[in-house]
Amino acid sequence: MSSFSIPTTREEVASNVASVPQSPAPSPPRESIGVSPLVPRLGVAAAVALLALAPLVLQSFTVTLLNYIGVYALVALGLVLLTGIGGMVSFGQAAFVGVAAYATAWLTTRHAASPWLGLAFALALTGLLALMLGALTLRLKGHFLSLGTLAWGLSISFLFGTVDGLGNFNGISQIPPISLGPVSLAGTVPMFYLIWAVVGFCLLLSANLLGSRMGRAMRVLRGGNILAESLGIDAFRIRLALFVIAALLAALSGWLEAHLSRYVSPTPYGAGPGIEYLMMAIIGGAGSLFGAVVGAAVIALLKNAVQDWFPVLFPGAPGQLQVVAFATLFILFLQRSRDGLVPAFARFLPAVRREIPPPAAALERRVQPARGSVLLSVDGVQRRFGGLVAVKDVSFDVRAGEIVALIGPNGAGKSTMFNLLTGALKANKGRVVFAGEEISSRPQRAIARAGIARTFQHLKLRPHMTLLDNVLLGAHPRLQAGLVAGALTLRRGEEARARAEAMRLLERVGLGDRPFERAGNLPLGNQRVLEIARALAADPALLVLDEPAAGLRRQEKLALAALLRSLRAENLTVVLVEHDMEFVMGLCDRIVVMDFGSKIAEGLPAAIRNDARVQEAYLGGVA
Ligand code: ADP
Ligand code: MG
């Protein structure tokens, strides 16, 4: 290979770095463009004022419609979080609405309890049920999960109609109205204010949550388990939390609905309505919280319109065909606007200016192991894929403060080796010891938390999240804010420190000029560097980089080498896979060479360059 004939010493690369021309006068940061953050706040204030005035000017029929839109919007909001954010499609939400509605109906009619007690009972019962169902079904993937939700949705709604104590198919009537102290909320208008106050409150809490540490973790779920776990995030727990949150929102809706219509029966909680709730979330825009309200409104109005117009347009046609008309409209809609209404319209709104995170106190750092001590020890590790042995009895050590390269032709087993180090794959044989502890059998998440951070050969970024948020993901295990703290924006200090740190890291890797750009808009080379910033945000002891320089231009490679050198100077240890020999030879302290799954050489760069077996492996493997 020609790159072997380029003798590049570390000093040469270093002098090249020094001569990298400084970038020309920086263009104005993009964040200074856009309208003031005050504008969307004014928009929200105007919407609240309009809603407050609505019952004074609207007819009672319209206020009733708005009440139901609000009630539906709560369920759709849960589905936006569950499906749009978390990527889990549930057809069973109507069953949760039903459990809560029946719970409060039963308690308030059979035991004359206060509706507020009914609320507590409904939330507790639905929450527990969701916890159980979630624990059972959430390990299923993709459409199996959806089928699971359909199955328990159907069986629960079937129960409503068959349990004697719940009034069979007649349901339960004469449910008392909600009262606030001495004030009864029996009428349409008082319920309007209660419902929309609840909707507003839930929107606010959800928005806070999404902007917090746990919300970021929720947005990682769609990137796959390997990504979440490699960041030290417990993907299953976050899924379960999302599932319970969505069920609790459905429960709130069921409680309100029961005391609004003062009557419950099995029909609204079956599979059909379960699908309608999903349609609401999709039509509004499954990724946007406000889409829940828009989707609920569109479906409610559409159903009304079909009911009103169908008999006029098709006189004599059987009423069941209304469902077909409704479905046709839905399909037409999906063809026109796949992402939903809110994202489609939001594109025409001006961007809102965002403030670059101001400097703040640094987050706690780990104590790095003593330079020169053995940090990682790979001992006789083997991994098979069916009949193929991808890694065959490989052993090597890495000492703290070293940069070690793993090289070898394509298919040599380097990425598999990295997956074994980070726990993404389990070895069939052998041990990996990190910082004195055997990690071979520990879950990936635990290994990440122990101090190994990685990047991926096939990048795993969240393309719709900003650069800043992508980097913040890396800091997940270093932060404490849980769900409640996130929803109520407690722990603002911690968040500010994390954001300041993420900003510093973006600057350090050369992406500091556009923290609010979406990661997906970056060129490939920059995306690789962004993954390194994310890994650094974990404050690791060992950085594992799979082909970090692939797709980088020469200047960018030099900058990357300089970055890795400065990290080494801070006692960080690095193991990397790289094909660019000039890069490897100039940067690394030691090189491990693999071919066909086995280690064929190990040593100083100069020795490796002259090793006959290595040259042969490369000429035979790549040429
Ligand atoms: P490298 O990173 O050195 O190019 P890999 O570790 O990606 O090599 O692959 C080593 C060998 O293992 C290849 O032959 C590859 O096809 C195979 N391999 C890797 N991952 C899997 C997998 N998940 N299932 C089956 N075979 C795999
Ligand atoms: Mg690879």
Side-chain angles (χ1 to χ4, degrees), residues 415 457 546-547:
S415 291
Q457 179 180 353
D546 201 346
E547 309 212 3

Side-chain angles (χ1 to χ4, degrees), residues 35-46 352:
V35 299
S36 153
L38 225 54
V39 174
R41 288 193 192 162
L42 285 176
V44 170
V352 177

Side-chain angles (χ1 to χ4, degrees), residues 34-332:
V35 299
S36 153
L38 225 54
V39 174
R41 288 193 192 162
L42 285 176
V44 170
V48 170
L50 273 180
L51 269 176
L53 294 176
L56 307 181
V57 291
L58 296 176
Q59 290 178 334
S60 163
F61 165 78
T62 318
V63 178
T64 302
L65 189 64
L66 284 173
N67 281 349
Y68 280 97
I69 290 174
V71 166
Y72 298 154
L74 285 172
V75 190
L77 179 61
L79 275 173
V80 163
L81 294 171
L82 189 69
T83 307
I85 307 293
M88 290 165 277
V89 177
S90 167
F91 293 103
Q93 274 346 74
F96 288 136
V97 183
V99 168
Y102 267 95
T104 193
W106 178 79
L107 199 68
T108 52
T109 56
R110 304 286 196 266
H111 298 278
S114 139
W116 295 105
L117 210 58
L119 173 64
F121 181 53
L123 287 175
L125 194 67
T126 319
L128 272 177
L129 183 69
L131 211 56
M132 274 166 43
L133 286 174
L136 287 176
T137 41
L138 287 180
R139 302 222 185 251
L140 301 175
K141 298 268 148 62
H143 45 270
F144 292 109
L145 171 61
S146 309
L147 284 177
T149 64
L150 197 58
W152 53 250
L154 280 172
S155 37
I156 291 173
S157 67
F158 181 70
L159 276 185
F160 296 138
T162 45
V163 174
D164 281 339
L166 298 180
N168 292 325
F169 281 95
N170 297 323
I172 301 176
S173 51
Q174 290 177 335
I175 300 173
I178 300 167
S179 49
L180 260 180
V183 186
S184 162
L185 304 183
T188 307
V189 171
M191 276 307 277
F192 172 89
Y193 286 111
L194 176 66
I195 288 169
W196 283 96
V198 171
V199 172
F201 187 63
C202 290
L203 277 173
L204 179 69
L205 292 192
S206 306
N208 286 344
L209 185 60
L210 280 191
S212 76
R213 166 179 177 259
M214 291 308 251
R216 286 189 293 267
M218 288 166 182
R219 287 191 279 164
V220 166
L221 295 177
R222 303 193 111 194
N225 271 359
I226 297 235
L227 172 60
E229 300 275 319
S230 81
L231 298 168
I233 294 171
D234 188 338
F236 181 74
R237 264 185 68 185
I238 303 272
R239 282 212 168 84
L240 194 57
L242 259 179
F243 191 69
V244 172
I245 291 172
L248 290 177
L249 285 165
L252 260 181
S253 166
W255 176 73
L256 285 168
E257 194 179 351
H259 294 284
L260 175 69
S261 53
R262 317 272 295 273
Y263 165 72
V264 293
S265 71
T267 336
Y269 310 122
I275 294 170
E276 269 173 32
Y277 286 126
L278 200 56
M279 283 172 158
M280 291 177 196
I282 293 171
I283 285 197
S288 83
L289 297 177
F290 190 60
V293 177
V294 174
V298 169
I299 294 277
L301 295 173
L302 212 60
K303 276 177 78 170
N304 247 340
V306 170
Q307 259 166 28
D308 290 351
W309 287 97
F310 190 81
V312 180
L313 294 175
F314 306 101
Q320 288 90 324
L321 281 185
Q322 285 186 15
V323 180
V324 178
F326 184 67
T328 313
L329 285 175
F330 183 64
I331 290 167
L332 281 179

Side-chain angles (χ1 to χ4, degrees), residues 408-416 418 457-458 546-547 577 579:
N410 277 330
K414 307 178 298 292
S415 291
T416 305
F418 274 14
Q457 179 180 353
H458 306 287
D546 201 346
E547 309 212 3
V577 164
H579 285 297

Side-chain angles (χ1 to χ4, degrees), residues 219-233 235 424 444 448 454 456 459-463 465 470 473 531 534:
R219 287 191 279 164
V220 166
L221 295 177
R222 303 193 111 194
N225 271 359
I226 297 235
L227 172 60
E229 300 275 319
S230 81
L231 298 168
I233 294 171
Q444 197 183 352
R454 72 172 300 180
F456 294 88
L459 295 171
K460 290 184 190 290
L461 286 164
R462 300 304 297 127
M465 290 171 72
N470 268 290
L473 283 174
E531 273 208 344
R534 181 179 70 194

